[in-house]
Amino acid sequence: MQRLGTIDVFPPAENFVYMDAASVGLTHKGAAAAINRWQQALADEGTIAFDEEDEVECLDNLNNAAARLFNARPEDIATASSETVLMASLAWAVMPPRGSTIVATETTHPSTVYPWMRAAEATGAKMRWVPADNLYIDPDRLEAAIDDSTSVVCLSHVEYGTGQVFDLARFAKKAHQHGAICVVDVTQSAGQVPIDIAATGIDAAAASTYKWLCGPFGTGFMYISPALQKLNPGIIGWRTHKDMWDFQANRLEMPENAKRYEFGTMAYGTALGATEAMNYLLDHSIEKIRVHNRHIADRLMAGLLELGAEVLSPKKAEERSATIAARLPGKNSKDFARTLKANNVIASLRRDFIRFSPHLYNNADDIDRGLAAIKAVL
Ligand SMILES: Cc1ncc(COP(=O)(O)O)c(C=O)c1O
């Protein structure tokens, strides 16, 4: 299996067996160049190089790319500097009411759920944690946790540790049956798994761009359903006004769309880079990337099992992504990760396991080289 993302676009893929997209993906070369160009032009020419029109356009362009990614409308997307910031703004907009429950898995990423915990602390809502069995979340158990007390079902589409994939349509439907909303962190799925907002019916989806989207740190975006666009965002600023160039502090009229969740300046060059990277992936087709990644992840999983590893990621095809978590027999995962890195095999240590996350720039040869290195350490 050849690389889908070639080494002219991802040069480090030639030198390393880079299997760490769940932590930080390799940055698209053109995206990095766009960011550097923007920063230099700003240093050289200030607003001559980046004027007010550009300041509007660069987020609009990112929202257009995100709309393509989500099969949604650009006016339903807001951009800011990260997933966490957007999720926090949403949690304070929703303000889950006193006595209601927020359903989340205990294996979710802190940034997915901390904003909701903080808002719940203020309102008197309660967390309802769905327990995991050796890091696996039983979807039936998750569904059973949603009832009439639920105000928010807060999920990560793909779990950051094991790569477990949730059927969003199923949990959105169940949430809606009980009058709750379904809010999803797609940071670990955007770029590796297709996300069709209309088909799943979820109410919000937020992502950062530096992982599977092969973009930079410093940019995130969020889909927000028309109903949630009527709420008051938790974070507001000068960009929140419907005409951001109005500059009248004694009035605030918000746009009647997701733009009300955009609130201030950011490192705009990162938005240019993220847009370039995202459009590159979309031109390849996320479905093609998913199939490619699954082939190489299957090869990795089979090899790990052969080496006697305890694979923690789900075995069922529909619950798997390209993220593979494993404990290696008789080895301390921390030492193991360090040794692999010394051998140019890049994966990450999470808790007491190693997480491998190959992406479109990996090929079958990478997997075999990675497995050979693992075997040598064992
Ligand atoms: C699911 C998920 N959400 C969010 C983040 C990080 O959020 P941010 O980019 O806002 O810091 C991560 C990073 O590992 C993640 O895995």
Side-chain angles (χ1 to χ4, degrees):
M1 171 142 287
Q2 303 295 313
R3 300 179 207 281
L4 251 190
T6 46
I7 52 175
D8 54 323
V9 182
F10 299 102
E14 195 172 25
N15 305 324
F16 305 99
V17 176
Y18 193 87
M19 297 192 283
D20 212 10
S23 181
V24 180
L26 289 181
T27 309
H28 180 279
K29 190 178 174 184
I35 296 164
N36 293 338
R37 262 197 319 272
W38 176 83
Q39 192 62 64
Q40 193 57 55
L42 197 69
D44 292 342
E45 300 182 330
T47 56
I48 302 168
F50 188 69
D51 64 16
E52 292 176 355
E53 221 169 275
D54 298 325
E55 202 169 339
V56 172
E57 204 176 70
C58 74
L59 295 202
D60 286 352
N61 288 342
L62 178 55
N63 291 354
N64 287 337
R68 252 182 103 192
L69 181 80
F70 284 157
N71 187 26
R73 304 177 311 165
E75 58 267 38
D76 296 333
I77 314 284
T79 289
S81 57
S82 70
E83 176 277 331
T84 305
V85 166
L86 288 159
M87 196 61 106
S89 187
L90 182 66
W92 287 101
V94 170
M95 290 275 218
R98 181 175 196 77
S100 72
T101 55
I102 298 165
V103 173
T105 70
E106 67 175 15
T107 43
T108 205
H109 191 274
S111 274
T112 311
V113 77
Y114 279 178
W116 296 96
M117 287 163 65
R118 179 68 185 89
E121 204 177 87
T123 63
K126 296 263 174 302
M127 295 304 303
R128 181 176 285 167
W129 296 105
V130 180
D133 180 9
N134 203 16
L135 300 179
Y136 176 73
I137 298 289
D138 177 350
D140 293 337
R141 210 165 174 183
L142 172 54
E143 186 168 358
I146 305 166
D147 63 19
D148 283 345
S149 74
T150 308
S151 54
V152 181
V153 177
C154 175
L155 293 176
S156 186
H157 186 190
V158 170
E159 293 279 21
Y160 80 93
T162 61
Q164 180 172 357
V165 183
F166 294 113
D167 175 357
L168 298 182
R170 174 178 176 185
F171 300 110
K173 186 170 168 210
K174 177 79 172 166
H176 295 160
Q177 279 166 358
H178 293 279
I181 57 170
C182 183
V183 169
V184 185
D185 183 340
V186 293
T187 303
Q188 290 289 355
S189 57
Q192 71 148 330
V193 176
I195 303 161
D196 185 331
I197 297 283
T200 59
I202 59 176
D203 301 275
S208 278
T209 59
Y210 56 87
K211 297 180 189 284
W212 300 91
L213 288 170
C214 303
F217 281 107
T219 301
F221 53 86
M222 177 164 67
Y223 161 83
I224 304 146
S225 71
L228 297 183
Q229 288 167 23
K230 300 202 181 334
L231 304 180
N232 235 331
I235 304 175
I236 60 171
W238 72 281
R239 280 192 83 116
T240 309
H241 191 76
K242 69 178 185 196
D243 172 11
M244 64 196 236
W245 304 113
D246 182 53
F247 291 127
Q248 281 224 183
N250 61 357
R251 62 178 186 220
L252 169 57
E253 285 174 51
M254 296 190 192
E256 297 293 323
N257 58 32
K259 282 273 182 196
R260 63 172 56 197
Y261 286 82
E262 291 177 359
F263 53 88
T265 64
M266 53 185 280
Y268 290 117
T270 64
L272 301 177
T275 306
E276 177 134 357
M278 207 168 353
N279 280 327
Y280 171 86
L281 297 186
L282 288 163
D283 291 346
H284 271 81
S285 133
I286 305 295
E287 176 55 18
K288 266 202 191 137
I289 294 171
R290 186 192 68 80
V291 171
H292 169 89
N293 288 3
R294 272 295 301 279
H295 275 301
I296 52 179
D298 281 356
R299 192 179 183 99
L300 175 64
M301 191 188 263
L304 286 169
L305 288 169
E306 216 166 276
L307 293 173
E310 180 193 5
V311 173
L312 301 162
S313 301
K315 308 291 179 301
K316 280 190 203 154
E318 68 276 17
E319 292 183 349
R320 282 173 53 193
S321 63
T323 301
I324 307 285
R327 294 190 189 106
L328 281 307
K331 291 282 166 192
N332 173 307
S333 291
K334 199 170 178 181
D335 296 340
F336 203 83
R338 206 174 297 133
T339 314
L340 285 182
K341 192 171 179 183
N343 285 287
N344 285 344
V345 176
I346 314 301
S348 38
L349 175 75
R350 285 292 175 273
R351 302 195 199 177
D352 64 341
F353 58 87
I354 313 267
R355 180 185 63 183
F356 301 90
S357 44
H359 200 6
L360 76 165
Y361 39 69
N362 293 111
N363 57 14
D365 195 40
D366 279 350
I367 301 302
D368 295 345
R369 279 162 60 200
L371 286 168
I374 293 166
K375 195 170 177 184
V377 181
L378 289 175

